[in-house]
């Protein structure tokens, strides 16, 4: 190529050039030709220089093919590394725009390209994205399967990941068993399937790859156990408050004050729970109850599965910024310091970030009584106790260990539960799947009905669970891919269909 002229305009840099060779080869038959039929000027956009768009105006010639049998009568010369048939972009710019399209798709990609000095429409970027070839699947021996939401709670798809390369290999439009089975039948090389404990994926794996080894993910096993532990702790929440010592040193429970009147929301929960339980007692199906009461089916399921209404009324404790400073306030009041402003300043030196009004509200009943009431710490919430029992002991503070020890001493059932949780953690962390049947027998022998539902589910999928607690495979790479899908899906704002989303998932791995 011979550059004839370079000019700078207000909005672009223009390079005028022409081809240097005297002949060109026919793309149809490969015969060289020097007979020129005509010429015309072709414009190519190139990468910007210092943020200024650059245009190459290239004089190209049309040659006459000298081969009589060639179907092409004439052809246009192409310059290697600069032109391709029908393209308006140079190869470097086309590669850059394709990378932008893969990363950002249409509208966001067009905005980034404009900031880089290239004017391109969103439809052009989407066309470049659709033209990107999909990665070759090849032979997949270890497959990871998980679902993701197109619309949470309504429409779901399935992501398939090669667990050896950790790259997605396909995206399915639903999470039905037959869809997965059809894909597995078309890829008979799969030997191991890593999945969660969803029934549809279990059925699809058995139907499509009956000889494959199914592996239940360890994280989901531990998560399901934690849910069972929390339900058990909620059932025994009466054992959580600490006993209060009287003046003689004996421990006894303080007479509980009269309960405050219930809020309208709590009354509504009780009425709704009673209505749903009565309808269930009459044999009505949950879908019918949801239609009659105009409730979401998930709400009806939550009320139907609750052991009692108190479980539904149990709310998360909202900690106050003043909680960890109340002992200091009581001590300073006993020492004679009753000025709320001064006490607030002392607390702020200790790290308090609240207002003096909060301190005054706390001191009002103390001021009316004349002496500070004995500060009784709030009982731990079931969620806290569940965390103490299911976290690694190194991640539990010494004070929480003491409080957990007191809870277990007051409740034999929770003490037995803590031992079972500890044993299951050892099986999971050390991959001692051969010990699972003994653990299941011990768990089912314990008087813990909430835990029995968990053990029933494990026995239903015992082979996959045992493999998950024995083999090194897990679904971690699949969960990471699902997180990437969330970012891609949110960036697209729901404007694109399944095919474009699938392409972005596969090429963005």
């Amino acid at each position: 190529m011979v550059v004839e002229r370079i000019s700078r305009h207000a909005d672009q840099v223009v390079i005028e050039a022409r081809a240097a060779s005297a002949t060109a080869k026919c793309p149809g038959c490969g015969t060289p030709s020097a007979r020129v039929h005509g010429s015309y000027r072709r414009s190519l956009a190139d990468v910007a220089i210092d943020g200024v768009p650059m245009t190459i105006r290239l004089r190209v010639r049309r040659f006459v093919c000298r081969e009589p049998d060639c179907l092409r009568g004439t052809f246009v010369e192409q310059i290697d590394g600069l032109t391709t048939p029908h393209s308006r972009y140079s190869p470097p710019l086309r590669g850059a725009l394709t990378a932008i399209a893969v990363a950002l798709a249409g509208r966001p990609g067009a905005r980034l390209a404009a900031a880089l000095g290239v004017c391109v429409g969103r439809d052009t970027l989407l066309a470049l994205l659709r033209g990107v070839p999909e990665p070759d699947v090849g032979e997949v021996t270890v497959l990871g399967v998980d679902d993701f939401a197109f619309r949470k709670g309504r429409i779901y798809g399935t992501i398939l990941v090669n667990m050896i390369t950790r790259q997605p290999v396909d995206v399915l439009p639903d999470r039905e068993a037959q869809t997965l089975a059809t894909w597995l039948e078309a890829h008979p090389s799969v030997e191991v399937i890593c999945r969660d404990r969803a029934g549809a994926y279990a059925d699809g794996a058995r139907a499509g790859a009956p000889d494959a080894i199914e592996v239940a993910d360890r994280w989901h096993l531990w998560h399901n156990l934690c849910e069972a532990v929390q339900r058990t702790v909620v059932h025994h929440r009466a054992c959580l408050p600490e006993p209060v010592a009287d003046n003689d040193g004996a421990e006894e429970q303080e007479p509980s004050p009269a309960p405050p009147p219930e809020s309208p929301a709590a009354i509504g929960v009780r009425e709704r729970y009673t209505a749903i339980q009565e309808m269930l007692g009459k044999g009505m199906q949950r879908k019918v109850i949801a239609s009659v009461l105009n409730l979401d089916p998930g709400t009806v399921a939550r009320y139907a599965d609750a052991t009692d209404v108190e479980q539904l009324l149990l709310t998360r404790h909202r900690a106050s910024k003043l909680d960890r400073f109340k002992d200091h306030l009581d001590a300073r009041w006993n020492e004679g310091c009753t000025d709320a402003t001064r006490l607030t300043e002392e607390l702020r030196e200790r790290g308090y970030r609240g207002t003096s009004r909060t301190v005054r509200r706390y001191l009002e009943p103390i001021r009316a009584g004349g002496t500070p009431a004995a500060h009784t710490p709030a009982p731990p919430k079931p969620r806290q106790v569940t965390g103490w029992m299911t976290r690694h002991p190194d991640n539990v503070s010494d004070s929480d260990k003491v409080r957990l020890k007191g809870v277990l001493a007051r409740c034999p059932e929770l003490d037995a539960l803590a031992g079972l949780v500890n044993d299951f953690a050892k099986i999971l962390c050390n991959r001692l799947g051969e010990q699972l049947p003994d653990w299941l027998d011990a768990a089912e022998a314990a008087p813990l009905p909430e835990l029995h539902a968990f053990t029933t589910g494990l026995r239903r999928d015992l082979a996959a669970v045992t493999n998950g607690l024995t083999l090194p495979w897990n679904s971690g790479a699949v969960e990471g891919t699902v997180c990437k899908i969330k970012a891609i899906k949110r960036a697209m704002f729901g404007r694109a269909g399944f095919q474009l989303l699938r392409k972005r998932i596969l090429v963005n791995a």
Side-chain angles (χ1 to χ4, degrees):
M1 184 182 73
V2 177
V3 177
E4 297 178 337
R5 181 183 176 189
I6 300 177
S7 59
R8 172 71 182 266
H9 300 274
D11 57 347
Q12 64 176 337
V13 174
V14 178
I15 299 177
E16 297 182 7
R18 60 178 175 82
S21 62
T23 62
K25 289 184 178 182
C26 174
C29 62
T31 303
S33 176
R35 183 181 173 184
V36 178
H37 179 273
S39 65
Y40 65 93
R41 190 174 297 278
R42 181 178 180 182
S43 294
L44 294 170
D46 201 0
V47 292
I49 299 177
D50 195 21
V52 179
M54 184 171 66
T55 301
I56 300 176
R57 293 179 180 174
L58 182 65
R59 174 69 64 177
V60 295
R61 296 163 293 180
R62 181 177 292 277
F63 288 84
V64 178
C65 183
R66 299 174 58 187
E67 179 62 39
D69 297 333
C70 183
L71 297 178
R72 292 177 177 266
T74 63
F75 62 91
V76 177
E77 63 181 342
Q78 302 293 336
I79 300 177
D80 294 339
L82 181 61
T83 64
T84 54
H86 313 295
S87 177
R88 297 186 178 182
Y89 301 105
S90 66
L93 180 58
R94 185 182 182 88
L97 293 179
T98 301
I100 291 175
V102 167
L104 299 175
R107 287 179 174 85
R111 292 194 292 268
L112 176 59
L116 297 176
V118 181
C119 182
V120 62
R122 64 179 186 272
D123 293 332
T124 300
L125 291 176
L126 293 180
L128 292 173
L129 175 58
R130 292 188 177 97
V132 176
E134 294 182 3
D136 183 21
V137 175
E139 288 193 356
V140 181
T141 56
V142 184
L143 180 71
V145 183
D146 202 0
D147 61 353
F148 67 94
F150 294 112
R151 294 186 63 185
K152 189 173 181 179
R154 297 188 180 183
I155 306 174
Y156 287 83
T158 299
I159 180 68
L160 306 178
V161 177
N162 186 336
M163 300 303 293
I164 296 179
T165 63
R166 295 178 174 262
Q167 301 298 315
V169 295
D170 208 346
V171 181
L172 306 181
D174 55 45
R175 54 177 179 179
E176 301 297 328
Q178 184 57 45
T179 306
L180 176 60
T182 302
W183 191 94
L184 290 172
E185 291 172 355
H187 299 80
S189 61
V190 176
E191 300 175 357
V192 179
I193 300 176
C194 302
R195 59 171 177 82
D196 58 18
R197 295 170 59 216
Y201 291 148
D203 295 339
R206 284 190 289 268
D211 297 330
I213 299 174
E214 299 180 38
V215 178
D217 183 52
R218 290 189 290 275
W219 183 89
H220 288 91
L221 295 175
W222 186 252
H223 179 70
N224 294 337
L225 175 63
C226 292
E227 292 176 337
V229 170
Q230 183 166 354
R231 290 193 297 269
T232 304
V233 174
V234 169
H235 185 73
H236 295 276
R237 59 187 175 275
C239 302
L240 303 185
E242 298 179 4
V244 179
D246 61 4
N247 294 333
D248 298 331
E251 290 186 351
E252 61 179 13
Q253 293 286 348
E254 284 187 345
S256 57
E262 285 190 327
S263 65
I267 296 175
V269 170
R270 291 186 182 277
E271 293 176 351
R272 183 178 299 169
Y273 176 80
T274 302
I276 291 176
Q277 293 297 328
E278 289 178 354
M279 292 181 180
L280 289 172
K282 296 178 181 178
M284 296 179 63
Q285 296 183 355
R286 296 185 181 187
K287 292 183 178 179
V288 178
I289 297 175
S291 177
V292 171
L293 298 181
N294 194 23
L295 296 174
D296 185 87
T299 302
V300 175
R302 184 162 55 89
Y303 277 75
D305 295 337
T307 55
D308 53 36
V309 70
E310 299 300 329
Q311 179 179 346
L312 298 171
L313 293 173
L314 192 65
T315 58
R316 185 179 298 179
H317 173 64
R318 292 184 61 186
S320 170
K321 295 179 180 179
L322 195 62
D323 285 347
R324 62 191 183 99
F325 303 101
K326 288 179 179 179
D327 291 335
H328 177 75
L329 283 176
D330 291 344
R332 293 290 290 136
W333 180 276
N334 288 333
E335 294 173 359
C337 182
T338 60
D339 185 5
T341 302
R342 181 178 175 183
L343 290 173
T344 302
E345 293 176 354
E346 293 181 3
L347 295 184
R348 284 177 177 162
E349 293 176 357
R350 293 172 171 263
Y352 175 63
R353 293 294 179 266
T355 63
S356 59
R357 183 178 180 86
T358 303
V359 177
R360 288 192 179 92
R361 285 176 177 172
Y362 176 76
L363 294 178
E364 282 177 0
I366 300 177
R367 196 183 301 276
T371 58
H375 176 62
T376 303
K381 297 297 178 181
R383 189 180 185 89
Q384 290 178 293
V385 177
T386 302
W388 298 341
M389 296 174 64
T390 56
R391 286 201 300 268
H392 193 281
D394 294 343
N395 298 328
V396 182
S397 65
D398 293 338
S399 59
D400 290 340
K401 289 179 181 178
V402 172
R403 298 184 70 184
L404 175 62
K405 186 176 181 180
V407 171
L408 300 183
R410 294 191 293 273
C411 184
E413 290 82 2
L414 293 184
D415 188 33
L417 177 64
L420 290 170
V421 170
N422 185 51
D423 293 340
F424 190 87
K426 292 178 180 178
I427 295 174
L428 186 144
C429 294
N430 299 320
R431 298 186 203 159
L432 303 175
E434 66 278 2
Q435 299 181 8
L436 180 62
D438 294 337
W439 185 89
L440 291 174
D441 294 338
E444 291 170 347
L448 303 169
E450 293 80 6
L451 191 62
H452 295 168
F454 172 68
T455 59
T456 301
L458 294 187
R459 289 195 182 278
R460 191 183 305 119
D461 201 18
L462 185 59
V465 172
T466 303
N467 292 332
L469 296 174
T470 306
L471 301 177
W473 302 108
N474 61 72
S475 299
V478 189
E479 298 294 341
T481 303
V482 171
C483 290
K484 294 180 182 178
I485 292 175
K486 292 178 181 178
I488 294 173
K489 182 184 65 175
R490 290 166 182 165
M492 296 169 72
F493 295 104
R495 293 191 177 100
F498 169 74
Q499 293 300 331
L500 186 59
L501 176 61
R502 176 179 178 276
K503 175 59 74 69
R504 289 201 65 198
I505 293 172
L506 295 179
V507 300
N508 270 284

